[in-house]
Amino acid sequence: MKNKCKNIYITTPIYYVNDIAHIGHAYTTIIADMLTRYSKIVGYDTYFLTGTDEHGLKIAQSAEKKGKTPQEYSDIISGKFRQLWDDMDISYDKFIRTTDHEHKMGVKKAFETMFQNGDIYKGNYEGNYCVGCETFFTTSQLIDDEGCPDCKRPTTVVKEESYFFRLSKYQDRLLELYETTPDFILPKSKAKEIINFVKGGLNDLSISRTSFSWGVPLPDSMDEPEHVMYVWLDALMNYLTGLGYGGDKKLLSYWPANIHMVGKDILKFHSIFWPAFLLSLDMPLPKHICAHGWWTKDGEKMSKSKGNVVNPREIISAYGLDEFRYFLMREVPFGQDGDFSKRALVDRINSDLSNDLGNLLNRIQGMSGKYFKYKLNSKDVAKYHQKELNIADNIVTNLENYIFVMQISRYIEDIWKLVAMANKAIADYEPWNLMKDGKTDEAMALVAFVANLMAKVAVLVDCVIPHKAKQIAVSLGFEINPQNYDDIIVKRQLVHSFFITKTEQLFPKIEENFESIALPTQETNPSVKTTSTIEDDNIITIDSFFATTIKVGQITEVHDIKKSDKLYRLLVDIGENEPRQIVAGIKAYYTKDELQDTQVCIVANLKPAKLMGILSEGMVLASKDDSGLSLIRPDKEKTKGTKIS
Ligand code: ME8
């Protein structure tokens, strides 16, 4: 087995208890869960921490509004978070609360250590504070002298005695960190903004408050009963106290964290404040801060007042837990913003899960039952399918490269290449004809080959859709565990034999009609057509249309191609980690300047092809008539990567 001794430590943010969990919180937690499950199956000793952030003015105010003490209020909401993660089968090892006694002890210990190291001093704070973001701002950072630059809500003026952390002292060491560890912040594209911020100069940070009391008191040695700790110092410390820092230290061997999974909204706290605190504490730094994008609903920001907050429980009960997990991880490349719509979810379920994966299992069950009494052996698989096996194994070997650089949607996309390969093998070799022609050995080899591909898929998607992966494994008669990961994935071994069991449908198709926008009936509006006059042999269903992924992209570079007066080589950013390279025959109609930084629509799931020896990873959409060629573009600027439907 792989280096089993390696420790992996993965965390989510600890969520504020001023609100109940929605799709954004679920997304962060699901991705962290996926990475944890992956690390465990690969054989790493993995620890996964999540929890709730319960101190600070924001929570105190929310509790007051509900007529509860902050502790009572925190107990209720924290309990709801934990219950949701339990119901969603999130594989956390510890659920930490910042009101836990051990945590508070650890935070005090950290304050004392920083103070002893000369990094904390007493002063007076005068500035602006956003309660919603629990963040201090200088007046020059505000919008119209008052608004929070992050959430835009009004800030309040704060003037009070405070302890300060010498953040400014760490400016150079932070810049050195970003330079020497370019993958400290992932995706790497997000590092630039942080580096610029730090280069702009860091002010020392106010780390204690005296105007309210709902927080961790300063250590007794400071003799400052009026002060409580700044909530972000308290909160960030959870990553260490969760391992026993300042207490029994039992789990500190997991430190440093491999992955702090966060949303982009709190990247600054994790990539500036947190490493500076750790440097002051003389503790090793985390390996990666991974910042994902923001979810909106049907193109709009979610908010309670709009009533458009996506509740994970509702989605899961309507569409299924693994379906929800799959959608979140597959739909949007990590780091990009995503839009949640039921239609997009149902499209994914019906195409990727039901049509591709579910049907494949169905076919394996059907063929093995009909031809081989549900018993398959792999003895002739290599004889007939070695070439395909090599291709499949090369895809599988490469997958590992995607995970810890957060190319999660890419990981899933490549696994689906195995699914496609299996479905194609059935179509190409036609086992029903092999059986008719008496080529039983060949038919057995084919069905067993397909079952082996399915076994690999099941092991690989266990971290993504764990419950359905187990259903596949039960149907194939094998187990998903680290030993089998090692045999099937790492050592590329075949499963010698299968005893197939028929199970219920893996992903039943969802019949949901999204076209049902209420139209006036014919009686009230005679101009509304009720029968179609379209006459076209090529008519397609909506499903066929959605097999094509068309996305909005931004042209970031335009290059000539040697010896071609028709083609440009374009780099088009469609919100993935790398821009797509596309060769387009539009040179006769557009100058480079006319194209640079403009938006276009591209077919994003076209098989890559070489044109003039250059790989083209998509097709730019255009329309051409006698008057020439025009590119098809969105009429208002859209987020890069937005799907066209
Ligand atoms: O910031 N899209 O807690 P929080 C994507 N307590 N992710 C979203 C999201 C959305 N629309 N909304 C929330 C805090 N999130 C602090 C953290 S850590 C030491 C302290 C997710 O309850 C995302 O992960 O406001 C974001 O970073 C987190 O919830 C913020 O949770």
Side-chain angles (χ1 to χ4, degrees), residues 161-172:
E161 185 182 86
S162 175
Y163 279 88
F164 285 83
F165 173 74
R166 292 189 200 281
L167 188 61
S168 54
K169 171 177 153 187
Y170 290 98
Q171 178 165 340
D172 291 343

Side-chain angles (χ1 to χ4, degrees), residues 373-384:
K373 298 195 176 123
Y374 295 106
K375 280 191 198 145
L376 302 175
N377 71 65
S378 302
K379 81 180 161 48
D380 288 333
V381 171
K383 179 171 160 195
Y384 292 105

